[in-house]
Every structure is written in structure tokens, then in C-alpha cells.
Amino acid sequence: MIRTAVIGGGAAGFFLAVNLKEMMPEMEVTIFERSSKVLAKVEVSGGGRCNCTNSFAEVRDLQQVYPRGHRLLKRLFKGFDHQDAYAWFEQHGVPLVTQDDECVFPKAQDSHAIIDCFLRLAVQYHVNIEKNHKIDALSQLEDYDYIAVTTGGSPRGEGLRWLETMGHEVVSPVPSLFTFTINEPQLTSLMGLVVEDAVAHIPGTKLQGEGPLLITHWGMSGPAILKLSSQAARLLAEAGYQMPLSIRWTPLKESEVQEVLQETAIREPQKLLGTFSPIALPQRLWAYLTEKALGARSKIRWMELNKKDMNRLVNTLANDIYQIAGRSVFKDEFVTCGGVALSSVNPATLESRAVPHLYFAGEVLDIDGVTGGFNFQAAWTTAYTVAKSIVTTNCRQGVTK
């Protein structure tokens, strides 16, 4: 009997185990989970709805959505990509739906649709599940022919040390999906306001995030901020989460903003500047931004807007500067960048270069994506790759017991 141990009962672990049994039913597969609950992160993801993948319709280059690991995933997607994942779940009894923002969720809008699917298939295929079973040394698994590590991210790095001692390079993990703390009371008093099309940017870099931006009681959140936190994760960690932040409150270019303001001054000369916004922004935010840019002159009429006022207002709308004063965890989700360096694995099979028949899948690898279903897609792709690699290796080498 050929035996495979899967260390970690999360998304990658279950997807790997189930696919391994489908490809090779006679193999014995056991999932070892250190806690008393499996698939805990799947349950809380996407606000409890599980954003399980993305249509990738708006992705021109994988680097847009995978700050780390995009080159490897481009290769692995040839074997199993988002379309394959979509088809896999639907074929296994989980109807999916694609939202307007290209995020893919179970049609039931409930993460338990995914969880129940995995648990049902695990029972159907006789996958063994050992809870409260911590594995931190290969000597605990001497009776297994293949071992797959799918332990997820390790925020403090402690869970990676045993892998490092075996000769794997480990990239120190840091958070990569978080919101920004901004200590500016006038801004945070606008909590709950959403700007649908903003751009968040770290000045002096090419790092930015686009999309809806939410003002919160602690600072800023929303897809634009979360995307930027992924892109700038390591830079922000090195700076102690104390960095300047530039916000473009409109998708319009600076020259276009100026043109709109000039036209408004001509078309609506008698209207009060602070109460009439020609840009698609919530009124309370417009009032805040005009006062931030012009102070007392925010109460003037549009016809009184002079060149200096114009420049200040355009700059505030197109390049509004804040100071990041810290980070906050995004809901109950916690994603890290870092983990087992990709140089430590075979890029075609994800087998360890240091230990034969040892494989890695999911967030334990130094792969992470922005918010929007991309991290789960990386888990499905790497887990499928490992399952196929184990079966191929077994057939080629003729491992028997």
C-alpha cells in the first residue's frame, strides 16, 4: 500500500488529498491537522462566503495580482488554472457565480458549500483525517512514501523552522493583507464612506492598488488598500508600517481633473465650492477635501476660484498625502508573504530539492496574491500540481510496499 501524508488540513491540504485519491484511488492518504478544526480559514474567508477564485478577466499580467510567485504560477496555470478550478467545483457539486468585480463565490454565498464538498469527498474517497496531530519532524512519518506540506502561512515563522533545518531556504514571513491605520480625526469621522474608483500609492515607488476605498474609524480599507498592502507588504514591514500614502480620489488624470474644475467654474459660477462636487465623490468627503485643500476659502463660490486655489484642489484630488501609522488585520483573514523559498522546490513538481518525495503546496510557499480569490486559486493550482506530481513519480519509479 502506497501512503501519502498531507500536513495541514486547510484548503490546499484537502484539495491535494481529494485530487490524489481521484487520480490514484488505491493510495492511502492521511491529512494531519494540528488543531481540532479543519478548513477554519476557508470558513471565514470572503466574509463567510469564500471567494474561491477569480475570473482573471481584468488580469493582464499575473504580477498584478501575485506580488510574489507570479512566474511560477504562470507555468503551473498551464496544468491547472482558474477555469479548471471553476469547472472542478461545479463538477463536484458546488455551483459557482461570478460577480461584477470578477470575484467567484459559491452560488449559495456560503463557505460551507466548499467545506461540505471537501468533507463529503474525503469520506467518499476514504481520506483519513487526524486532528490535534502536530507534525514538525519527518521522523514522525517514516511509514509514508510521500509527504506534502500544506500548513499555510506562518505569521511568526516558528512553523517553518523545522523545514529550514532540513536545508530549505525560508523567506521570513510578514503580513500581506491588511488595512491602514491613519491618525487623522477629520478623515476617520467620515467612516463608512466608500469611493468606488480610487488609487492608493506609496510615493517614490511603482506600488499601487486600485478599486473601491473604504474610510473606516481607524483609517482606510477596501480593495484599493488591500491590494496595495499585498504589493508593498515587505517594504511596509521594513518601515514598521510608518510610511507616506498617496490617494488619488478619482480615476481621472490630473489634467482631466483640472479641466473638469475649470468647466465647473464657468458653468456653475454662483454655486458654493464646498457644497457642489463635479467629481463623483460622496458630498461629505468632497467638503472635507475642499477644506483640506483651501481652508476657509472652501466656502467661496466657484467663480472666485483662482489659479492657486485650482492647483491646490487639483493636487488634493489627484495626490492627497496621508501618513500610514500602523496596520490592522483584514476581518478574520490573515495572509502572509514569505515561506519556503521557490528556489528550494522543483518548479515543475513542487518537490523539495533537499528531500526526495517531500512536496509543498499553498501558502507555506513564498507565493501570495492580492484580495479577490487569488490566494485560493494559488492553493488549488499548487495542490493539484503536487497531487499529479506524486502520482507521476509513483508510476515512473514503481514505488510499492
Side-chain angles (χ1 to χ4, degrees):
M1 174 72 74
I2 310 303
R3 308 178 77 200
T4 294
V6 178
I7 308 174
F14 268 84
F15 200 72
L16 195 163
V18 167
N19 277 282
L20 192 51
K21 288 293 288 185
E22 287 190 333
M23 296 176 193
M24 192 172 178
E26 67 273 23
M27 180 172 286
E28 180 184 310
V29 179
T30 302
I31 295 174
F32 293 95
E33 168 56 43
R34 65 182 299 172
S35 71
S36 60
K37 186 175 183 179
V38 296
L39 299 164
K41 192 170 179 180
V42 175
E43 185 174 34
V44 300
S45 67
R49 296 187 298 138
C50 190
N51 182 186
C52 58
T53 187
N54 192 283
S55 76
F56 283 72
E58 296 180 353
V59 179
R60 300 178 302 279
D61 184 332
L62 287 185
Q63 191 170 6
Q64 288 176 245
V65 292
Y66 292 107
R68 288 149 291 270
H70 58 279
R71 291 186 183 87
L72 176 63
L73 287 175
K74 183 177 181 180
R75 174 177 185 162
L76 299 183
F77 274 14
K78 294 175 183 177
F80 193 90
D81 65 6
H82 59 285
Q83 293 175 320
D84 296 312
Y86 195 108
W88 191 96
F89 282 106
E90 294 227 315
Q91 289 164 7
H92 289 80
V94 184
L96 301 177
V97 61
T98 304
Q99 297 185 162
D100 291 342
D101 61 2
E102 308 303 333
C103 294
V104 177
F105 288 85
K107 192 172 183 180
Q109 297 294 306
D110 188 344
S111 60
H112 285 92
I114 302 289
I115 294 170
D116 292 346
C117 170
F118 285 154
L119 295 178
R120 171 176 54 80
L121 292 172
V123 171
Q124 180 181 333
Y125 296 147
H126 304 290
V127 174
N128 304 313
I129 301 173
E130 297 286 346
K131 301 177 186 177
N132 298 306
H133 204 124
K134 182 180 178 181
I135 303 292
D136 54 13
L138 294 188
S139 58
Q140 297 171 259
L141 301 170
E142 290 179 344
D143 293 336
Y144 287 85
D145 303 284
Y146 302 97
I147 298 170
V149 180
T150 61
T151 49
S154 183
R156 288 173 293 278
E158 297 168 1
L160 300 171
R161 290 195 187 119
W162 68 289
L163 299 171
E164 196 169 18
T165 60
M166 287 188 283
H168 302 100
E169 180 187 349
V170 170
V171 181
S172 299
V174 296
S176 67
L177 182 61
F178 50 87
T179 63
F180 296 161
T181 299
I182 296 174
N183 297 326
E184 188 158 329
Q186 285 183 297
L187 174 74
T188 55
S189 70
L190 303 175
M191 62 182 182
L193 292 186
V194 176
V195 177
E196 292 296 339
D197 203 349
V199 179
H201 169 69
I202 300 294
T205 76
K206 295 181 179 180
L207 303 171
Q208 68 176 38
E210 305 174 0
L213 185 151
L214 169 67
I215 298 173
T216 68
H217 67 273
W218 66 86
M220 295 183 187
S221 183
I225 297 300
L226 295 169
K227 289 175 183 176
L228 178 58
S229 76
S230 293
Q231 298 285 349
R234 200 158 291 282
L235 179 66
L236 284 162
E238 291 169 357
Y241 304 99
Q242 310 281 322
M243 291 195 79
L245 170 69
S246 168
I247 300 295
R248 194 168 85 219
W249 294 104
T250 168
L252 299 176
K253 296 177 182 177
E254 197 166 320
S255 59
E256 294 172 326
V257 172
Q258 183 164 349
E259 187 176 331
V260 168
L261 298 185
Q262 289 172 337
E263 289 176 354
T264 304
I266 294 171
R267 192 176 65 253
E268 305 287 353
Q270 296 299 327
K271 296 227 171 140
L272 293 175
L273 182 73
T275 61
F276 181 76
S277 170
I279 306 289
L281 292 174
Q283 176 54 43
R284 286 196 300 144
L285 177 60
W286 172 260
Y288 160 74
L289 292 174
T290 54
E291 185 175 354
K292 182 179 181 181
L294 305 179
R297 284 187 61 76
S298 63
K299 295 178 171 55
I300 64 174
R301 299 183 185 280
W302 274 94
M303 61 185 293
E304 301 172 73
L305 195 67
N306 61 37
K307 186 175 181 181
K308 183 182 288 187
D309 295 332
M310 177 72 72
N311 290 338
R312 287 177 176 172
L313 187 53
V314 168
N315 190 58
T316 299
L317 291 169
N319 185 32
D320 196 11
I321 302 296
Y322 296 88
Q323 183 68 28
I324 300 171
R327 65 174 178 83
S328 300
V329 175
F330 175 55
K331 297 184 179 178
D332 295 314
E333 300 179 47
F334 200 102
V335 176
T336 60
C337 70
V340 175
L342 302 186
S343 59
S344 291
V345 300
N346 181 317
T349 64
L350 302 185
E351 182 178 14
S352 165
R353 293 188 186 275
V355 182
H357 292 191
L358 176 66
Y359 297 80
F360 299 94
E363 204 183 330
V364 69
L365 289 164
D366 186 21
I367 298 174
D368 65 285
V370 302
T371 185
F374 300 106
N375 285 295
F376 273 130
Q377 183 56 53
W380 314 141
T381 295
T382 54
Y384 185 90
T385 299
V386 170
K388 189 172 181 180
S389 299
I390 289 174
V391 172
T392 301
T393 299
N394 189 77
C395 292
R396 185 175 64 247
Q397 296 182 354
V399 175
T400 57
K401 280 266 180 168

